[in-house]
Amino acid sequence: RGRKDLEGMKIPFIGEIPSTEGKRHWWQRKRKQERKIVVVEGSKNIINESFRLLRTKLDYFLGKNQDLKVVMITSFNPGSGKTFISANLAKTFAIRGKRVICLDMDLRHHSLSSMVSKTKTGMSSYLNGLVDNYKDIIIKDGLSENVDIIPVGIVPPNPTELLMSPRMEELISKLREEYDYIFMDCPPVEIVADASIVKDFVDVSLFVVRAGLMDRRVLPMVEDLY
């Protein structure tokens, strides 16, 4: 129900993002979740301040080691806000002058990709060898100014096998040389194997818990994952 339910856990708590949805009456239909960039340079509203605080704490968590730059965002539930947090956290770092890219690693549902114009080339095209140059799948300023994105492209029939391709490791290695931060929007853990494969390429994982969505009884399972 709230932050108090997470007290006593071993996992570092680094941020709390308020809901962007206003309260609605019980008889009104729930609005479809909207994925958009809400972080605006110079804005001091509560959600912008929350993302700035999250950025500061993540910076502190990573320390001054410039090799720590790949961040995976995952959760236990679909609809927890991973895509929303991935895009806006990336924007928060870009405002500070960092070179940032977001990768849509959910090859099944491509939520992050839905924030840009549809394209047939993307992550799936590169991993299956249809595109040789990784720069051809990057959309410059795709999410926002100074926030590039690699969308999924065509949804593949074999996402798990593609993520296990040697080209995945090759892609991350090249992006590490070009960007200050790489944010990977991943599918929920324990539902598909994708996040377990992707974790081998990342430096830190952010686990999203959404109030009113996640069952408190599975918190011990999150501890086990940690």
Side-chain angles (χ1 to χ4, degrees):
R1 296 191 181 99
R3 181 172 175 174
K4 187 174 178 61
D5 288 332
L6 305 179
E7 290 179 357
M9 296 185 74
K10 296 179 294 184
I11 308 175
F13 184 93
I14 68 164
E16 190 170 18
I17 306 297
S19 173
T20 57
E21 297 175 352
K23 290 184 178 180
R24 296 174 66 79
H25 297 293
W26 61 269
W27 67 81
Q28 292 177 302
R29 294 180 63 185
K30 187 176 180 181
R31 286 174 295 191
K32 186 177 180 181
Q33 185 179 0
E34 188 176 5
R35 302 181 182 96
K36 61 180 181 180
I37 300 289
V38 297
V39 170
V40 180
E41 186 172 5
S43 175
K44 295 184 178 179
N45 65 20
I46 186 169
I47 198 160
N48 275 264
E49 291 289 355
S50 298
F51 272 108
R52 275 193 286 270
L53 183 59
L54 178 58
R55 178 188 65 192
T56 300
K57 289 193 174 183
L58 181 58
D59 254 349
Y60 178 80
F61 188 77
L62 295 175
K64 295 182 179 180
N65 189 340
Q66 294 184 346
D67 292 330
L68 301 180
K69 57 175 62 179
V70 184
V71 180
M72 176 174 84
I73 294 92
T74 187
S75 70
F76 220 90
N77 307 93
S80 59
K82 299 181 299 297
T83 298
F84 176 75
I85 289 177
S86 300
N88 282 282
L89 185 57
K91 173 68 175 180
T92 310
F93 277 92
I95 286 174
R96 213 178 58 183
K98 300 297 182 180
R99 294 169 299 168
V100 183
I101 189 169
C102 283
L103 277 56
D104 192 344
M105 303 307 301
D106 193 342
L107 303 187
R108 290 171 172 82
H109 297 102
H110 51 89
S111 298
L112 188 69
S113 303
S114 66
M115 296 178 66
V116 298
S117 300
K118 287 186 178 181
T119 172
K120 292 184 178 180
T121 57
M123 184 68 69
S124 60
S125 306
Y126 181 80
L127 294 182
N128 66 20
L130 293 176
V131 175
D132 289 327
N133 190 341
Y134 74 99
K135 293 187 178 182
D136 292 339
I137 62 172
I138 296 175
I139 301 178
K140 292 289 184 182
D141 299 330
L143 285 178
S144 182
E145 186 177 359
N146 297 324
V147 183
D148 299 344
I149 178 177
I150 295 181
V152 169
I154 297 175
V155 178
N158 57 338
T160 302
E161 288 74 14
L162 283 183
L163 293 176
M164 297 174 68
S165 164
R167 291 175 70 87
M168 182 69 210
E169 184 175 3
E170 178 184 325
L171 173 64
I172 300 301
S173 177
K174 290 177 178 177
L175 293 177
R176 281 180 180 274
E177 297 175 1
E178 191 169 336
Y179 291 91
D180 296 311
Y181 291 97
I182 303 163
F183 292 95
M184 304 173 75
D185 182 25
C186 295
V189 298
E190 295 299 304
I191 295 179
V192 292
D194 299 5
S196 299
I197 297 170
V198 170
K199 70 176 175 57
D200 292 334
F201 308 112
V202 309
D203 303 315
V204 64
S205 300
L206 294 185
F207 197 93
V208 181
V209 174
R210 185 168 186 169
L213 178 67
M214 184 170 169
D215 192 325
R216 287 180 295 181
R217 291 172 294 183
V218 302
L219 286 175
M221 297 177 68
V222 181
E223 292 266 60
D224 290 342
L225 287 170
Y226 180 64

